Amino acid sequence: MIKKTQTPMREQDPRVRVHNFDEVPVGYTEEEAIREAERCLLCPAPPCVEGCPVNVDIPSFIDHVKNGRFSEAIKVIKDTNGLPAICGRVCPQEDQCQGACVLGKRFEPVAIGRLERFCADWEAEHVSPTSKVQSPKSKTMDVGHWTMDLTSGYRVAIIGAGPAGLTAAADLRKLGHAVTVFEALHVAGGVLMYGIPEFRLPKAIVKREIDALCAMGVKIEVNKVIGRIGTVDDLLDQGYDAVFIGTGAGLPRFLRIPGENLNGVYSANEFLTRTNLMRAFRFPDYDTPIKVGERVVTVGGGNVAMDSARTALRLGAKESIIVYRRAEEQLPARAEEVEHAKEEGIQFKLLANPVRFIGEAGRLVGVECLRMELGEPDASGRARPIPIPGSEFTLDIDTIIIAIGNEPHPLIPRTTEGLDVGRRGNIVAENETGQTSKEGVFAGGDIVTGAATVIEAMGAGKRAAAAIDRYLKEVK
Ligand code: FAD
Ligand code: SF4
């Protein structure tokens, strides 16, 4: 008899967690993981695998969990996914593997993400990810669960140490190429480090995954802004045989309405980076606080908006309000994040859109919004929000965080000759290979697609690594 509902995961009490930055869900125990794994039907033609952008062999790893073979389970996951502890925590599984799960047609789908997280955490507790075994005469090296050929002699430069760049780096390294990653910030990880908050993705976990990459021999050079210290062509001239660009979409979009320059108006990028990277939440241990008022509005309905609103609450806001121009069904954030936000007391003002920020002596004191109604679907396929004339209302607030999306940073496109760039500033690259208009130059992740997801960026990094490997062997 199949259990209809997922094995619940224990979480910090919402009343407690709004006062700390510790992770919200605490993870499955071995018994809970086995219980959840027992729900899987081990389908012979599993649609969940197709639903996963990196095609993890889901029934096979779940079968290992079911039988208590956790070390085998993580091996299966890591065959195709180099960042399982991260994906298990932040992937939108409801739209991907779990959305396709056969069980989900009648009951709750198997909690694939939670099981993936369990396996990665189990490995971190029981196996050193940086353990290396190399015999002096051998041309291969065992790192964790991978055996690598070290003989290729080719050098690849990766620009950007986010999920796309790190995944491409890992796969290219496994294929025996020398890989150097150039990262603009002082830490590697991209959005995983500077965007997604500690309470959703502890930075120690990201660091652990990056340490494992370094143990494989991937070289990461931080504080290196390509386009400033040198160009893509300079890298090719310096003897790199191929370049992969994974620079993400880190340029915040603004509303372009009156009052946007007032003190108290933040982009989500600034707000989250100052909290995560500059550790504003550890003030006074860190001398880099961020001012958060008592009543904070976050504009937007995606993961970035949920993260900002929940962070504001943890930094001391008495009220944290999401203003989103569509309805609840259209919220693009992961379902779990919306649920967590509601449990924590985040208020939702739906079908509303700011039209003007109100200031006094240069400081934000309010926001004027218009009510919206939904019309026919727009180009994104979602119902178009239409302003209702005369429906203005004002919220008295002291901080506003704008989380309405990001665009690709123009530095690399502007400084690279012969690189085709799309209408929105994204680099044009083939989906299957990441090949750009420039020979030997590949690209993937948010810089190509615009703001998307971690696993999609990883999928692009994987496909590009395979294509770069073919290019090196066939063309170079
Ligand atoms: P990024 O992660 O942006 O990494 C790009 C890296 O390139 C950065 O480290 C940047 O500093 C570096 N770089 C940029 N320019 C240069 C240069 N010129 N030279 C050198 N380095 C450079 N996705 C999910 O799947 N689930 C979630 O829950 C989720 N939550 C999110 C929450 C927030 C707050 C944000 C901002 C995004 C979230 N996303 C989520 C989206 C996801 O994080 C991104 O889609 C993903 O990180 C894109 O990966 P990437 O490697 O393409 O780019
Ligand atoms: Fe298991 Fe669902 Fe995948 Fe079938 S579709 S193998 S039930 S996780």
Side-chain angles (χ1 to χ4, degrees), residues 39-49 58-59 62 97 100-104 109-110 112:
R39 297 182 66 231
C40 177
L41 306 171
L42 305 177
C43 309
C48 54
V49 177
I58 292 167
I62 293 184
C97 53
C101 172
V102 169
L103 205 60
V110 176
I112 303 167

Side-chain angles (χ1 to χ4, degrees), residues 411-446:
L411 187 57
I412 298 276
R414 269 190 206 151
T415 55
T416 312
E417 264 178 47
L419 196 62
D420 282 355
V421 176
R423 215 165 37 88
R424 305 198 109 183
N426 55 302
I427 294 177
V428 177
E430 282 174 18
N431 182 48
E432 284 311 311
T433 61
Q435 174 68 59
T436 68
S437 55
K438 201 169 164 72
E439 200 199 316
V441 179
F442 298 76
D446 283 5

